[in-house]
Amino acid sequence: RLTNDGREVLFHPDASRGTAAVRSKSAIIHGLCTWSVQMGASVYGTDMVVGVCADELDLSSSIYSYRSLLGDNGDSWGISYRGVRRHNGKELEGPHKPFSANSVVTLQLDTSRQQICVSVDGSPLQIAFENIYESGYRPLFAAVSSTAATTRMRLLCSEHFLLNLQNICIYYIRQQVKHASDIDKLPLPNIMKHKLKALWVSPR
């Protein structure tokens, strides 16, 4: 069930009988897209996953079975709360730590580099998946899934940039800045400082 103008999802409001999933309305076609999702007060169950999927993924395929869903096949990539990453049915140790109640999970999809990066609770972005268009280019969607009853995820922010020199510089600078209060100290034009602040998500 979607709430808060579509920015928050409540999974299995009464009881869980399987895996529920939802994806973004708009596809990520080109450029650099970054979004941050905050977990609710309860994080548990078979799996809770933040990730990316293609249009071919059937989000209703597991409503009566408990699965991770995102990452089960070649049409999706998943970052699990258990600290693993999943794609094409394979589960690998993730570059991220396990996340828990109120954690902030940030994903970045770079269509030019064919990469998906992940950050948990303000940690530096790290590559989780590469060569995401290995089987051919296609539009992708942000997605989340959960098997656990009365669990929530909330979209905190999202940014979509075309890949130009200024925006590439902003993302590299963002990885070096430890605290949001340091942004104003940087010898940068105000427009770049504004974009850096827009990308900042404080953990917890």
Side-chain angles (χ1 to χ4, degrees), residues 30-36 106-110 113 117 119 123-126 157-177 186 188 192-193 195-200:
H30 56 78
L32 194 65
C33 189
T34 304
W35 62 101
S36 295
T106 300
L107 293 188
Q108 181 185 88
L109 194 159
D110 187 332
R113 293 186 175 181
C117 297
S119 162
S123 64
L125 284 164
Q126 298 185 69
C157 64
S158 62
E159 294 286 340
H160 186 195
F161 289 107
L162 296 178
L163 292 175
N164 56 40
L165 181 59
Q166 183 187 89
N167 290 330
I168 290 172
C169 290
I170 286 172
Y171 275 96
Y172 276 108
I173 293 170
R174 169 63 182 88
Q175 297 310 300
Q176 303 302 317
V177 178
L186 298 174
L188 296 172
M192 293 185 71
K193 291 181 181 179
K195 288 185 176 182
L196 277 168
K197 290 176 181 178
L199 290 173
W200 198 273

Side-chain angles (χ1 to χ4, degrees), residues 9 17 23 31 47 49 51-52 82 99 160 165 172 197-198:
V9 58
R17 299 177 180 85
R23 76 177 194 191
D47 220 347
V49 187
V52 173
R82 296 178 288 111
F99 45 93
H160 186 195
L165 181 59
Y172 276 108
K197 290 176 181 178

Side-chain angles (χ1 to χ4, degrees), residues 50-176:
V50 179
V52 173
C53 71
D55 189 51
E56 291 84 355
L57 181 68
D58 183 0
L59 297 180
S60 63
S61 63
S62 302
I63 57 175
Y64 297 116
S65 61
Y66 296 99
R67 298 164 51 195
S68 299
L69 186 59
L70 297 178
D72 272 358
N73 56 32
D75 296 326
S76 59
W77 297 257
I79 299 295
S80 167
Y81 86 99
R82 296 178 288 111
V84 298
R85 53 194 168 105
R86 308 181 72 258
H87 176 59
N88 213 17
K90 297 178 181 179
E91 192 168 282
L92 301 171
E93 183 179 354
H96 65 291
K97 65 179 182 180
F99 45 93
S100 55
N102 302 315
S103 284
V104 175
V105 182
T106 300
L107 293 188
Q108 181 185 88
L109 194 159
D110 187 332
T111 62
S112 177
R113 293 186 175 181
Q114 301 188 48
Q115 292 177 344
I116 298 172
C117 297
V118 61
S119 162
V120 176
D121 290 331
S123 64
L125 284 164
Q126 298 185 69
I127 298 172
F129 303 102
E130 298 184 276
N131 301 316
I132 59 174
Y133 301 123
E134 187 175 13
S135 60
Y137 171 80
R138 51 187 170 167
L140 299 174
F141 299 81
V144 292
S145 69
S146 175
T147 61
T150 62
T151 50
R152 296 176 183 269
M153 296 187 197
R154 179 166 61 100
L155 178 67
L156 294 180
C157 64
S158 62
E159 294 286 340
H160 186 195
F161 289 107
L162 296 178
L163 292 175
N164 56 40
L165 181 59
Q166 183 187 89
N167 290 330
I168 290 172
C169 290
I170 286 172
Y171 275 96
Y172 276 108
I173 293 170
R174 169 63 182 88
Q175 297 310 300
Q176 303 302 317

